[in-house]
Amino acid sequence: MSGKVLALSGGVGGAKLAFGLSQCVAADQLCIVANTGDDFSHLGVAICPDLDTVMYTLAGLANAVQGWGLEGESWQLMSALDRLGGETWFRLGDRDMATHLRRTALLAEGLSLERVTASLCRALSVEQTLLPMSDDPVRTQVHTTQGWLAFQDYFVRQQCAPQIDAIRFQGIDSATAAQGFRQALVDPALSAIVICPSNPFVSVDPILALPDVREALIGHAAPVIAVSPIIAGAALKGPAAKMMAALAMPVCASAVAAYYGDLLDGFVIDNADSSERSAIEALGLPVLQVNTIMRSTEAKIALAADCLEFAASLS
Ligand code: GDP
Ligand code: CA
């Protein structure tokens, strides 16, 4: 495929497709924008879970079994902290902690999160452009019977157990999309925009909710395609399906397509969802039906290649 590719990503689901894309597109032609709504400050350090999942995945350092953090990690810090009565509900490996310490130090020197991320990526030999969606703090919160909870409290500490009835992104109205993200959106060489199979409500929505982003995608000359994170009525991981049910949406791929609505030019569903095709086509959206389960390196690359070919066919 010729031209630049922009991918919008959360953590695990997004990182898998981002990796696939990195194997199909020259490094200087691929820009990945990651959600920062999950970011938080914890134990005195700045943690950016989705940025780090994508960064570690592109660097070939990700722990594939765990789905987050680094391969071959050690946990001395957590054990020592536990012994001292410190908070250990958010697991931070020893080497992972170095990332957060370095990020925190660079932010304290006054660098933007975009520049800090570039610096970390350079150090880990990630050649693609990885950007935070914004340099400004945006914090996802979910409303439950316990009131508003910070995202990591809900997601990690309480393992998504509380029932959710609303989601908000604190700080979104005064946040601006990162400079590199804004530039990518107006780059005449941009030829495809791929919304990765990430959680639509807490991974993709924060990116789309930034001022002017949704409008830019709707009016964009390059095709915008999304890969469904819902396969056969379920999420492969995480609370996406539960959130759909809580938000009174049917739990199926076509509901995700309808949710993204008019910003899409095409939608990618899994082979298991052939029964969803007509409902998506009825929305006026071309459908690509392929294997979207990315268990192996080959599957990630194949899905990325399929997405690029599909986008090219739509432009
Ligand atoms: P998080 O930020 O780490 O929670 O991850 P994301 O938001 O990027 O991804 C979570 C979503 O990815 C879930 O809804 C999963 O169903 C979806 N997902 C994970 N792996 C795959 C996969 O291999 N294929 C597809 N189609 N979806 C996936
Ligand atoms: Ca996330």
Side-chain angles (χ1 to χ4, degrees), residues 214-277:
R214 178 176 276 276
E215 294 70 18
L217 294 184
I218 290 173
H220 213 288
V224 179
I225 64 166
V227 180
S228 181
I230 298 294
I231 300 175
L236 291 185
K237 174 199 158 277
K242 225 169 103 175
M243 287 176 174
M244 291 179 88
L247 301 171
M249 292 168 69
V251 185
C252 56
S254 56
V256 176
Y259 183 73
Y260 286 136
D262 54 4
L263 66 83
L264 292 182
D265 297 303
F267 196 66
V268 183
I269 59 172
D270 192 75
N271 284 328
D273 282 320
S274 53
S275 61
E276 292 287 298
R277 181 184 270 269

Side-chain angles (χ1 to χ4, degrees), residues 9-12 35 37-39 49-51 53 151-152 155 198-199 202-203 237:
S9 175
V12 175
N35 168 46
D38 297 10
D39 293 9
D50 290 355
L51 272 175
T53 297
F151 184 71
Q152 298 301 343
F155 192 65
S198 290
N199 185 310
V202 294
S203 292
K237 174 199 158 277

Side-chain angles (χ1 to χ4, degrees), residues 51 68 123 233 239 265-266 292 307:
L51 272 175
W68 51 271
D265 297 303
T292 69
C307 285

Side-chain angles (χ1 to χ4, degrees), residues 20 23 47 88 133 143 188 244 249-250 252 306:
Q23 303 300 298
I47 301 175
T88 55
M133 66 185 202
H143 193 261
M244 291 179 88
M249 292 168 69
C252 56
D306 289 338

Side-chain angles (χ1 to χ4, degrees), residues 46-261:
I47 301 175
C48 304
D50 290 355
L51 272 175
D52 287 350
T53 297
V54 177
M55 180 173 73
Y56 292 156
T57 301
L58 292 176
L61 298 172
N63 184 315
V65 178
Q66 212 166 247
W68 51 271
L70 290 159
E71 189 62 57
E73 186 61 280
S74 60
W75 302 93
Q76 300 275 356
L77 175 77
M78 280 286 119
S79 326
L81 191 63
D82 191 30
R83 194 167 173 191
L84 296 172
E87 278 188 80
T88 55
W89 58 270
F90 196 88
R91 310 274 304 149
L92 293 168
D94 299 334
R95 290 196 295 150
D96 185 31
M97 191 62 175
T99 303
H100 312 311
L101 286 168
R102 181 72 182 138
R103 175 187 294 120
T104 305
L106 291 173
L107 288 170
E109 283 175 21
L111 261 66
S112 65
L113 184 59
E114 179 172 351
R115 291 199 48 203
V116 172
T117 304
S119 166
L120 295 172
C121 283
R122 209 175 312 116
L124 297 181
S125 303
V126 171
E127 291 173 354
Q128 293 76 21
T129 303
L130 172 62
L131 302 169
M133 66 185 202
S134 175
D135 287 333
D136 306 312
V138 174
R139 296 294 175 259
T140 298
Q141 298 179 335
V142 296
H143 193 261
T144 72
T145 50
Q146 306 166 29
W148 286 102
L149 298 179
F151 184 71
Q152 298 301 343
D153 186 358
Y154 161 77
F155 192 65
V156 178
R157 198 205 305 244
Q158 306 203 46
Q159 303 281 304
C160 308
Q163 185 69 18
I164 292 184
D165 56 35
I167 298 169
R168 70 180 179 193
F169 312 123
Q170 283 248 297
I172 197 82
D173 295 334
S174 50
T176 13
Q179 192 190 5
F181 184 16
R182 282 181 279 130
Q183 278 168 358
L185 285 170
V186 296
D187 188 333
L190 184 59
S191 63
I193 301 169
V194 181
I195 300 179
C196 291
S198 290
N199 185 310
F201 314 102
V202 294
S203 292
V204 179
D205 266 355
I207 305 177
L208 300 179
L210 285 165
D212 304 329
V213 169
R214 178 176 276 276
E215 294 70 18
L217 294 184
I218 290 173
H220 213 288
V224 179
I225 64 166
V227 180
S228 181
I230 298 294
I231 300 175
L236 291 185
K237 174 199 158 277
K242 225 169 103 175
M243 287 176 174
M244 291 179 88
L247 301 171
M249 292 168 69
V251 185
C252 56
S254 56
V256 176
Y259 183 73
Y260 286 136

